[in-house]
Amino acid sequence: FEISLNSAKDDLPLFTLTMSGSRVNRHGLEDDDVNSELSLVVGDFRMETAAFGRTLESYRTILGLAPSASTSLLTLKYSKGESAVRACNVGGVDKLECEAAAEIVLSPMRFVHIHSQVFTLIEYVTEGVFGTIAASVASSAAAAAMEVAKSTTDGEKLFYIVASGFNLVVPQAAYSEKFFSFHSGNFKAHYRALEGDVGSEANVSLKDVSMTCNRNMQMVSAPVNMSVNV
């Protein structure tokens, strides 16, 4: 699946979004609709700038899998019902009292931030006819997510998110080989919505946040670790 975002001035491509190897599957367990699983796998996904121009080849992929990653970008599994939740893997968190659980796994990603490109993309997505379509799609997706959440009763729901790494590259300019690179290690988040909508619990942890430059100099003396409980 490919989308080309072209310039209104000369119709030349500005950005290209490509997605491949994605699939969705839903099936019921135990021959009923009480216990069911929904799985979503997003394969290779990337956003690239045009091949012409002064942007270095290493910066052309604005967002996508990290160069070292070959797995799917995103894997999501939503389980509903006691048997389905019991069978899912949510990082050892107690799930006996949960009637629904979601596992979200993100592969290592890389994002290149070039200021002018990012603002051009934001303007393209939010303005004009395309902006209206994007807002409508976002609204529909939010409504669909709410319907999925409401399809269960008032029991506890558990959301487990794991990301194995993220790189943020900030070049001095699109044509410059000088850059800063921010790297984060494992990210984990547990979010539990308590029964009867009386509250929720969240635990978020982020490990090994570091910063380097194009000369591989360590800009942070020791990797930063963070954990937050709410």
Side-chain angles (χ1 to χ4, degrees), residues 80-93:
K80 182 182 74 171
E82 182 179 345
S83 298
V85 172
R86 190 184 301 117
C88 72
N89 176 26
V90 287
V93 175

Side-chain angles (χ1 to χ4, degrees), residues 23 63 84 102 176 221:
R23 60 185 183 271
L63 177 65
S176 173
S221 59

